[in-house]
Amino acid sequence: MGKVLESSLWRSSDFGTSYTKLTLQPGVTTVIDNFYICPTNKKKVILVSSSLSDRDQSLFLSVDEGATFQKQPIPFFVDTLIFHPKEEDKVLAYTKESKLYVSSDLGKKWTLLQERVTKDHVFWAVSGVDADPDLVHMEAQDLGGGFQYVTCPIHNCSEKLQAAPFAGPIDHGSLTVQDDYIFFKVTSANRTKYYVSYRRNEFVLMKLPKYALPKDLQIISTDESQVFVAVQEWYQMDTYNLYQSDPRGVRYALVLQDVRSSRQAEESVLIDILEVRGVKGVFLANQKIDGKVMTLITYNKGRDWDYLRPPSMDMNGKPTNCKPPDCHLHLHLRWADNPYVSGTVHTKDTAPGLIMGAGNLGSQLVEYKEEMYITSDCGHTWRQVFEEEHHILYLDHGGVIVAIKDTSIPLKILKFSVDEGLTWSTHNFTSTSVFVDGLLSEPGDETLVMTVFGHISFRSDWELVKVDFRPSFSRQCGEEDYSSWDLSNLQGDRCIMGQQRSFRKRKSTSWCIKGRSFTSALTSRVCECRDSDFLCDYGFERSPFSESNTNKCSANFWFNPLSPPDDCALGQTYTSSLGYRKVVSNVCEGGVDLQQSPAQLQCPLTPPRGLQVSIQGEAVAVRPGEDVLFVVRQEQGDVLTTKYQVDLGDGFKAMYVNLTLTGEPIRHRYESPGIYRVSVRAENTAGHDEAVLFVQVNSPLQALYLEVVPVIGINQEVNLTAVLLPLNPNLTVFYWWIGHSLQPLLSLDNSVTTRFSDTGDVRVTVQAACGNSVLQDSRVLRVLDQFQVVPLQFSKELDAYNPNTPEWREDVGLVVTRLLSKETSVPQELLVTVLKPGLPTLADLYVLLPPPRPTRKRSLSSDKRLAAIQQVLNAQKISFLLRGGVRVLVALRDTGTGAEQLGGGGGYWAVVVLFVIGLFAAGAFILYNFIRKRPGRTVYAQMHNEKEQEMTSPVSHSEDVQGTAPGNHSGVVLSINSREMHSYLVS
């Protein structure tokens, strides 16, 4: 609700005839955030207000229907107030900080009950069910981040008096307390289980058909000691199946399939099912099959369903030409977003049998058609009353029906009927048309006074118009003004839910007021029980309509009716189901008894089945030294005589009794990393079962570095290596994304090899996952068809300062690249220095070709760059300082004899060899150009092919090549396998 300025707050005590402006603080502008009226005493009102700066909040309390208010500052910001359902001065306050406060004096004093409470999952005690009327049920977050179901009395909610009726964690936002039942769900190992408690007994699993495998479950109704739930099963997308429970809410049977659903804002789900108020057991539902939506009605809580009968004439008296089975009446079953207008179907407890709804005639429901239809005999016969949707309001127990068109244009006319929609009159409720925002009736079902509120324009204040129908009626109704009607289903059967019921309604010719003393129920007579009073029990299904006996219930393939129930303990007795159970709230007597059970059977000693062992919190990876809580559960079998042998995999072994009965976890601590096999063996004289859990104990990952040569040739094998700290062998999974592929490669090794067939930049990303720890690193490789590699070495002093980490190697490489670029004037982007892991410290210098230019042909510039690099290296011009003033020289490396010692002799021989190589290169170039200039010779092609073959021959580390290896890909390939990485990680 939006904020309302104090000047807009008005009060009426004469049914809207006059209004008085409420003054909360004279001379002070007050902003009203919300207001709450006590449901058990309408005189008590609480207004929540904020200062204009929103820095603080106050409450304004009234005990005289808002005639006067008392200001009460509060130390928190209110999100929602919840009045006690029976005691008018007790209020709960849920704050914007997720804290829960309580007041026992209508908001004057407040006490903190609980922190970290889930919004909309706080409930007062239910009268007649909870022993303590001051008990509060709530869903709260514990210190570990999980959520629990907690209860405590409002007078003392300390940790000592808090109770956790369910020992384990529950799913966030799943707690529901409704009538006799409490529901929540628990998700573990990607499977959700739904729990229920009936009249505050222990929580048990809700038993849906074994292979329903629900994706979602919505509570539809919990009245009359029965639960209706809508379940979205594993194969459904926009439909739900409707199930009905036994009185305890435990065992569920299917009553209707494929009920349409729609998802609203904030992920809320709307199910197209509506309980018709006024007549118990009647529901409307929209079923969606093969894309077609059709409306169904049931009179016996879902045991039988029928399509709605279409009217034979429309509102103008013309034939509808709509006849079953090809044409029926279909209704929209939507709730209104605006709480002050009716939904698309309107019913009321004090107007039994009266239903008005928007829909259409045809083979299916059409979304844009919203004609209005009415029935006064609970769906047996229907009449069309309007061609467009209207908002509906029932006055005087349905004696007056008010309708205002649902439209976006301003109105000043309403329609009303005093004969259950047979005839309609119009009334100008205002002289100026208004945009209608809602309809309000005065308190009490007998009222004949209503208010239409809206606005003349979108910039104007609200306009409130009182409409009083009392002058239209001159007297109170007497017995002679009523007639009776009998409730029946569409087949004309009057025995519904085990009884025949008759109701009173006012005659269409009587203009009188029903008044406060009116009661609609007239007579009822109990019927004898028949087959139709029973539905299929849990584990059974109705025979298909194609068979002759559609009342027959047959066991599902997965259900054995003779098997004892899961909670059947040795020494107890049980009865096996014959497949039928009486519809809850059905009052039939005598006659047929399909659920009659054979003799009591003794619960046998059953072997343990469904044994499970898990870690509390559902983790399977823990850290060394961390406390681990193992939970053992057993789904079936005797637990009193069963012994449990536990082996935690690190030498700890123990024998337990009553382990699954008490639910107490086993506390343990692993000191060393590794994988531990945890096993539990449950055994009694009837059999045994075993459960196994593999626990990963590892330290969290600290660092990940993707190490790879930055330049690679086409179709040349390249090694991608992930350097990981700490190294967790056999516990880490590596995910590799290469290029634009969305499908990763998976490996347990920290390195993979690959090739690239096209030139260009390629991004490589690796993720390392170990337990709950995941790290990522990424690098870009350049795939080229031509480049040179110059092997480098360093003076031996560098080895003493080499920590053998990727970051250090990268930094040294950048220093060498920068120095070489500065001394040779070769652009830095054409030089890449890559240091090799391990000792001695070695490196490779990659010399790249400049980007091609359209006007420039290939030249010898690459040879000039190499000569310049070789010259500055041999002249010992490339050096850098380490800590302590140690100077490190960079020189050419002899790839044939290993690392060369730096000194005069070595430099001399390097110069001689380079000079010879230079003369050979110059001669080859002159000969090449000479042959090129002579046309008509085939020798050129032959020599060119030989040159190409020579250039594409790969040169490995073992080949005797000195200086450089020119070609169309690298002459020296940098790689490191997992064994080498392990050696330098642990060195």
Side-chain angles (χ1 to χ4, degrees):
M1 178 178 292
K3 294 184 177 181
V4 181
L5 291 181
E6 181 186 12
S7 58
S8 300
L9 192 60
W10 298 75
R11 171 180 179 270
S12 174
S13 58
D14 54 6
F15 300 103
T17 302
S18 61
Y19 285 87
T20 303
K21 179 181 176 182
L22 296 181
T23 303
L24 300 179
Q25 291 180 282
V28 179
T29 301
T30 306
V31 178
I32 303 300
D33 297 326
N34 216 331
F35 65 90
Y36 300 86
I37 300 174
C38 177
T40 56
N41 186 349
K42 305 294 184 181
K43 293 183 177 181
K44 297 189 175 183
V45 181
I46 299 180
L47 302 182
V48 181
S49 79
S50 298
S51 62
L52 289 177
S53 61
D54 282 335
R55 293 183 178 179
D56 53 68
Q57 269 192 344
S58 299
L59 301 180
F60 287 89
L61 314 176
S62 175
V63 295
D64 52 11
E65 294 183 321
T68 60
F69 283 92
Q70 175 186 352
K71 183 180 179 181
Q72 182 64 48
I74 51 176
F76 50 81
F77 284 86
V78 173
D79 185 278
T80 306
L81 295 181
I82 309 170
F83 275 97
H84 193 284
K86 297 293 183 181
E87 301 182 38
E88 56 195 46
D89 287 337
K90 294 178 179 177
V91 188
L92 293 173
Y94 181 81
T95 73
K96 298 184 183 299
E97 295 79 24
S98 300
K99 296 180 180 180
L100 189 66
Y101 289 81
V102 66
S103 173
S104 298
D105 54 5
L106 199 66
K108 296 178 182 178
K109 296 180 181 178
W110 294 92
T111 303
L112 177 64
L113 279 185
Q114 183 73 23
E115 299 184 10
R116 301 182 300 277
V117 178
T118 304
K119 184 181 179 181
D120 298 328
H121 294 274
V122 177
F123 309 89
W124 278 107
V126 177
S127 178
V129 182
D130 288 294
D132 184 358
D134 291 335
L135 192 70
V136 177
H137 306 264
M138 69 190 86
E139 179 185 298
Q141 189 175 26
D142 56 31
L143 296 177
F147 292 85
Q148 283 190 315
Y149 164 41
V150 179
T151 64
C152 69
I154 62 173
H155 54 80
N156 192 343
C157 198
S158 62
E159 292 187 3
K160 293 182 179 180
L161 292 181
Q162 283 185 7
F166 185 76
I170 68 174
D171 285 8
H172 178 50
S174 67
L175 178 68
T176 299
V177 179
Q178 199 166 307
D179 297 325
D180 292 342
Y181 307 93
I182 300 177
F183 307 92
F184 57 74
K185 63 180 180 179
V186 176
T187 300
S188 62
N190 293 326
R191 187 168 182 177
T192 301
K193 296 181 179 180
Y194 296 87
Y195 288 84
V196 63
S197 168
Y198 175 62
R199 297 193 67 84
R200 309 308 183 254
N201 291 309
E202 65 177 346
F203 284 93
V204 296
L205 283 172
M206 299 169 64
K207 289 186 175 296
L208 294 163
K210 185 174 183 178
Y211 294 106
L213 304 178
K215 295 192 296 185
D216 186 36
L217 185 147
Q218 301 287 329
I219 307 298
I220 301 299
S221 172
T222 56
D223 60 351
E224 294 190 301
S225 297
Q226 187 176 48
V227 181
F228 267 88
V229 297
V231 177
Q232 188 172 53
E233 302 189 21
W234 62 272
Y235 62 89
Q236 294 177 305
M237 297 299 294
D238 56 356
T239 60
Y240 281 65
N241 290 343
L242 186 63
Y243 286 87
Q244 183 187 101
S245 78
D246 60 4
R248 296 191 305 133
V250 176
R251 301 162 74 93
Y252 289 81
L254 180 67
V255 293
L256 184 63
Q257 298 187 78
D258 297 318
V259 180
R260 185 176 69 165
S261 67
S262 57
R263 191 165 293 276
Q264 302 297 310
E266 299 180 358
E267 295 300 310
S268 62
V269 177
L270 295 181
I271 314 295
D272 272 21
I273 184 167
L274 179 78
E275 184 174 7
V276 176
R277 298 165 62 185
V279 182
K280 294 295 185 181
V282 182
F283 287 82
L284 293 168
N286 279 333
Q287 188 179 50
K288 184 176 183 180
I289 299 178
D290 296 331
K292 294 176 61 175
V293 179
M294 305 178 72
T295 303
L296 300 171
I297 188 170
T298 179
Y299 292 88
N300 52 8
K301 281 197 166 183
R303 201 277 185 187
D304 301 291
W305 295 86
D306 289 294
Y307 296 109
L308 297 180
R309 289 180 177 173
S312 58
M313 310 292 287
D314 64 12
M315 60 179 294
N316 299 316
K318 296 180 180 180
T320 59
N321 298 320
C322 180
K323 296 182 180 180
D326 300 321
C327 184
H328 297 90
L329 171 63
H330 310 284
L331 299 177
H332 298 281
L333 304 179
R334 296 193 304 265
W335 295 99
D337 295 331
N338 182 353
Y340 302 108
V341 297
S342 62
T344 54
V345 174
H346 190 55
T347 66
K348 198 170 186 179
D349 289 326
T350 56
L354 194 60
I355 308 173
M356 284 195 70
N360 64 272
L361 302 179
S363 61
Q364 61 180 313
L365 183 66
V366 180
E367 290 300 321
Y368 59 85
K369 285 190 176 182
E370 295 180 333
E371 304 157 350
M372 294 297 296
Y373 294 86
I374 188 171
T375 176
S376 57
D377 54 10
C378 203
H380 197 273
T381 58
W382 293 84
R383 302 185 305 274
Q384 184 187 6
V385 290
F386 305 123
E387 293 180 342
E388 297 174 291
E389 184 180 1
H390 284 61
H391 299 309
I392 304 301
L393 190 64
Y394 293 165
L395 303 175
D396 190 27
H397 307 278
V400 177
I401 306 174
V402 180
I404 293 184
K405 185 184 296 185
D406 180 12
T407 179
S408 59
I409 63 175
L411 302 170
K412 58 182 178 181
I413 295 176
L414 61 78
K415 304 170 186 177
F416 68 96
S417 173
V418 296
D419 53 10
E420 297 180 335
L422 289 173
T423 60
W424 292 86
S425 304
T426 59
H427 172 67
N428 283 12
F429 63 89
T430 179
S431 58
T432 303
S433 297
V434 298
F435 294 94
V436 176
D437 293 320
L439 310 176
L440 294 174
S441 63
E442 296 304 319
D445 295 314
E446 75 284 352
T447 183
L448 284 166
V449 181
M450 63 169 291
T451 300
V452 180
F453 68 93
H455 53 279
I456 297 177
S457 68
F458 290 105
R459 295 183 178 180
S460 65
D461 292 333
W462 272 354
E463 296 286 327
L464 289 87
V465 181
K466 173 185 174 183
V467 182
D468 191 349
F469 290 94
R470 290 177 295 181
S472 301
F473 301 93
S474 58
R475 61 184 180 87
Q476 292 283 329
C477 293
E479 288 297 326
E480 67 280 1
D481 295 306
Y482 296 106
S483 61
S484 65
W485 65 276
D486 299 326
L487 177 65
S488 66
N489 61 19
L490 299 190
Q491 286 72 39
D493 187 1
R494 289 192 57 204
C495 280
I496 297 177
M497 298 295 290
Q499 60 180 329
Q500 294 182 357
R501 285 177 284 179
S502 297
F503 297 88
R504 294 196 305 173
K505 66 177 182 178
R506 191 178 62 195
K507 296 177 181 178
S508 59
T509 57
S510 297
W511 280 63
C512 56
I513 301 174
K514 296 181 181 180
R516 183 175 299 179
S517 61
F518 172 76
T519 57
S520 57
L522 188 60
T523 61
S524 64
R525 184 176 68 85
V526 175
C527 303
E528 283 191 349
C529 294
R530 302 170 299 175
D531 290 355
S532 58
D533 295 314
F534 297 85
L535 50 75
C536 294
D537 202 354
Y538 170 78
F540 292 81
E541 284 188 2
R542 291 267 294 274
S543 300
F545 289 104
S546 59
E547 297 185 7
S548 57
N549 185 8
T550 58
N551 289 323
K552 183 179 179 181
C553 295
S554 303
N556 282 290
F557 72 94
W558 49 265
F559 182 71
N560 182 4
L562 299 179
S563 297
D566 296 341
D567 56 354
C568 192
L570 186 64
Q572 297 178 346
T573 60
Y574 74 98
T575 57
S576 62
S577 173
L578 296 180
Y580 304 89
R581 72 173 183 227
K582 196 175 181 180
V583 177
V584 176
S585 303
N586 189 301
V587 296
C588 70
E589 297 177 355
V592 176
D593 186 6
L594 296 181
Q595 67 180 4
Q596 184 178 4
S597 178
Q600 296 285 321
L601 302 176
Q602 291 291 328
C603 291
L605 177 63
T606 53
R609 290 290 182 267
L611 190 67
Q612 300 174 1
V613 58
S614 61
I615 295 176
Q616 196 171 85
E618 303 303 328
V620 292
V622 297
R623 300 181 182 183
E626 180 182 354
D627 282 340
V628 183
L629 298 178
F630 290 100
V631 179
V632 180
R633 297 184 179 91
Q634 180 178 312
E635 293 183 353
Q636 299 177 7
D638 186 77
V639 296
L640 297 177
T641 63
T642 301
K643 295 181 179 180
Y644 302 87
Q645 183 177 343
V646 178
D647 184 348
L648 299 185
D650 63 346
F652 177 88
K653 297 181 180 180
M655 184 74 72
Y656 294 87
V657 294
N658 297 332
L659 181 61
T660 59
L661 185 64
T662 61
E664 288 292 328
I666 301 172
R667 186 180 296 271
H668 191 66
R669 181 180 297 175
Y670 294 97
E671 300 298 337
S672 303
I675 298 179
Y676 297 88
R677 184 182 186 273
V678 176
S679 64
V680 179
R681 179 183 174 88
E683 187 173 5
N684 59 29
T685 57
H688 68 275
D689 195 10
E690 187 174 9
V692 174
L693 176 69
F694 288 92
V695 180
Q696 296 184 21
V697 180
N698 45 60
S699 302
L701 300 180
Q702 299 175 5
L704 175 67
Y705 187 91
L706 176 58
E707 197 159 48
V708 61
V709 291
V711 181
I712 192 67
I714 293 178
N715 293 322
Q716 180 182 341
E717 187 176 87
V718 61
N719 184 278
L720 312 175
T721 301
V723 181
L724 186 66
L725 293 176
L727 184 63
N728 291 320
N730 303 323
L731 295 179
T732 305
V733 178
F734 296 89
Y735 300 82
W736 306 86
W737 284 273
I738 300 176
H740 297 289
S741 175
L742 297 178
Q743 184 68 33
L745 298 174
L746 270 66
S747 70
L748 295 177
D749 198 356
N750 67 318
S751 65
V752 296
T753 57
T754 187
R755 298 174 186 268
F756 302 98
S757 59
D758 298 316
T759 60
D761 292 345
V762 180
R763 177 170 293 277
V764 177
T765 301
V766 62
Q767 283 186 354
C770 183
N772 297 325
S773 181
V774 179
L775 296 179
Q776 175 178 307
D777 195 17
S778 185
R779 291 287 184 271
V780 175
L781 283 72
R782 299 185 66 182
V783 183
L784 303 176
D785 57 354
Q786 289 188 0
F787 58 90
Q788 288 86 17
V789 180
V790 179
L792 303 178
Q793 65 181 7
F794 302 88
S795 54
K796 62 182 180 180
E797 290 83 4
L798 183 60
D799 291 347
Y801 295 89
N802 186 348
N804 207 15
T805 63
E807 293 83 358
W808 183 86
R809 290 192 289 271
E810 185 175 339
D811 287 341
V812 173
L814 291 174
V815 170
V816 174
T817 298
R818 188 165 56 250
L819 293 173
L820 283 170
S821 176
K822 180 179 179 181
E823 291 292 332
T824 63
S825 299
V826 177
Q828 189 170 334
E829 60 269 17
L830 301 182
L831 301 176
V832 180
T833 305
V834 180
L835 271 71
K836 296 174 175 288
L839 296 176
T841 307
L842 304 174
D844 284 330
L845 173 65
Y846 291 80
V847 183
L848 312 183
L849 294 178
R853 297 180 181 178
T855 59
R856 180 178 178 183
K857 297 182 179 179
R858 182 174 297 178
S859 67
L860 294 177
S861 59
S862 61
D863 294 331
K864 292 181 179 180
R865 289 195 298 271
L866 285 175
I869 293 171
Q870 294 160 356
Q871 182 178 356
V872 297
L873 288 172
N874 290 328
Q876 298 186 355
K877 292 184 178 181
I878 306 301
S879 64
F880 55 92
L881 289 176
L882 295 178
R883 183 176 54 195
V886 177
R887 180 168 294 278
V888 177
L889 294 177
V890 185
L892 292 171
R893 182 174 88 248
D894 185 351
T895 58
T897 59
E900 180 180 339
Q901 296 293 328
L902 293 178
Y908 172 79
W909 285 108
V911 170
V912 172
V913 172
L914 288 173
F915 178 75
V916 173
I917 293 175
L919 288 177
F920 177 81
F925 177 76
I926 294 172
L927 178 62
Y928 170 79
N929 281 276
F930 174 75
I931 296 175
R932 243 181 109 186
K933 294 178 181 179
R934 298 183 60 185
R937 295 291 300 270
T938 59
V939 177
Y940 161 69
Q942 181 180 355
M943 293 187 65
H944 179 72
N945 291 338
E946 290 174 355
K947 185 67 177 178
E948 284 289 319
Q949 184 176 0
E950 177 187 347
M951 291 174 64
T952 57
S953 299
V955 181
S956 67
H957 286 285
S958 61
E959 293 177 305
D960 189 11
V961 178
Q962 185 175 359
T964 66
N968 64 346
H969 63 76
S970 171
V972 180
V973 180
L974 293 180
S975 66
I976 175 171
N977 58 33
S978 59
R979 183 176 301 174
E980 291 172 338
M981 183 180 65
H982 176 72
S983 66
Y984 73 69
L985 280 175
V986 298
S987 61

